[in-house]
Structures are given as structure tokens and as C-alpha cells.
Amino acid sequence: EAQVTQNPRYLITVTGKKLTVTCSQNMNHEYMSWYRQDPGLGLRQIYYSMNVEVTDKGDVPEGYKVSRKEKRNFPLILESPSPNQTSLYFCASSSRGEKGTQYFGPGTRLLVL
Amino acid sequence: DAKTTQPPSMDCAEGRAANLPCNHSTISGNEYVYWYRQIHSQGPQYIIHGLKNNETNEMASLIITEDRKSSTLILPHATLRDTAVYYCIVRLQSNFGNEKLTFGTGTRLTIIP
């Protein structure tokens, strides 16, 4: 089954404790992206990747890092999480020629205390 | 990307057709109309897209007016599981750059038993 998976689905952590949210897709998609969703602010893009080893900032990249060492994986790294990073996070992927059609993961709900 | 206007909320009786309108009067000739939905904090789900012709797939039908300034998403036999926020997005199919999806506020569709 074609899908985007994220882990963990739920995470409670404390300020400053490094964490990684994994994202994996099995559709051989070149493009991958991370969004965060907050009440009243909608979905905002954090980082995106056009292909392996090609990443760039989205609208709200501060406090986040990403890497794209393999085509299928696009982890989101929070080196020193802060409470304002408490949010619902989604990973998405699409093929190069049809990036209007994106497939989203199930989401990761993060609470930073 | 062209701006879209959708009603904030709609109700539909279970088993009836749900017709969700979207206005996009500033759409340009090579921009597509995409529809996504988000079921209660799940990842957004791609539904359908089209350029000028009406489109149908297993989930829905998309009717685009001849002048392309508006469109309607039709869920032919709505079920309770169709309760969600529906987003109409107008954009290029792919511009070979960052493919950020810009979600507006959408229409909250509630299916009434």
C-alpha cells in the first residue's frame, strides 16, 4: 500500500531534549516536505526537499533541522525543543511532475513541556 | 497561486449528495483546481484535481465552470465518514520548485445522520 508513515505519532518531551520525528514514504517520490499545524494558523511549511541531499527552508524553519540521505526518508530534527514547538506535524511527499498531488502522513502530535 | 473563497461551513444529510462550492475568479490559464480534505487532525487527503474538464474518480466529482472562475466538489452519497474540512486550492500542477501547498480556511462539512 502506498503510504507516508511518521513516528512517533504522539510525543511528550521536555524543553531542550533533542528529538527526531521520522518520515518515510514507499512511493519513490522525489519531493518531501514538513508542515506544522496550529489552531488559527493553518498548515505552515517548515522544510522541504526536492531530492536526495537537496533541502531548503520553508516558511517557519527556525528551531528545526532536516536531512535527506535516502530518497524514502526525511527526518525532522528538533535539536533543542521549546514549548512554542508544541504542534501537530505532518510529512508529505509527491512525485516530481505532479507536486500538486501530495500524500500526507498521519501526523505527529508533539507536546514540549 | 490564485486565491480561493469557500463557505466556512455546510451541512448535508447522510446519503445525499454534498456539493461544495469554491470561487477562484483570478485563476490563470495553466492553474489547476485541487481539492483536499482533512478529517479531524488526520493528515490532509488528496481528493481530486482538474484543469478545465469535469473530473470523476472513486471519491468524488469535480465540476469546473466554463469560465473556470468557480468549481464544485461533489460527494455523490455522503456518509458520516465524509465529515471533514474540505480545502480548494488553485495552483500550477508543478513548477519544479518548492511545491508548498497553501491551505486556506476551507469548508467544514458536517454530515447529519
Side-chain angles (χ1 to χ4, degrees), chain A residues 12-68:
Chain A
I12 301 174
T13 190
V14 296
T15 299
K17 186 176 181 181
K18 180 179 179 179
L19 67 92
T20 299
V21 183
T22 65
C23 173
S24 183
Q25 50 93 4
N26 62 1
M27 296 168 280
N28 201 36
H29 284 165
E30 294 85 6
Y31 180 84
M32 298 185 75
S33 178
W34 276 102
Y35 294 83
R36 60 177 288 175
Q37 186 173 30
D38 303 287
L41 296 176
L43 282 115
R44 295 178 292 169
Q45 190 186 53
I46 305 171
Y47 267 95
Y48 67 96
S49 170
M50 300 290 289
N51 214 323
V52 176
E53 302 292 0
V54 182
T55 63
D56 208 344
K57 298 176 181 178
D59 296 322
V60 289
E62 293 77 24
Y64 303 95
K65 287 176 57 177
V66 293
S67 69
R68 188 91 183 273

Side-chain angles (χ1 to χ4, degrees), chain A residues 67-87:
Chain A
S67 69
R68 188 91 183 273
K69 294 184 171 59
E70 304 166 286
K71 198 172 188 179
R72 63 183 294 132
N73 296 322
F74 190 44
L76 179 69
I77 303 156
L78 285 71
E79 294 267 0
S80 182
S82 63
N84 65 12
Q85 292 179 297
T86 291
S87 188

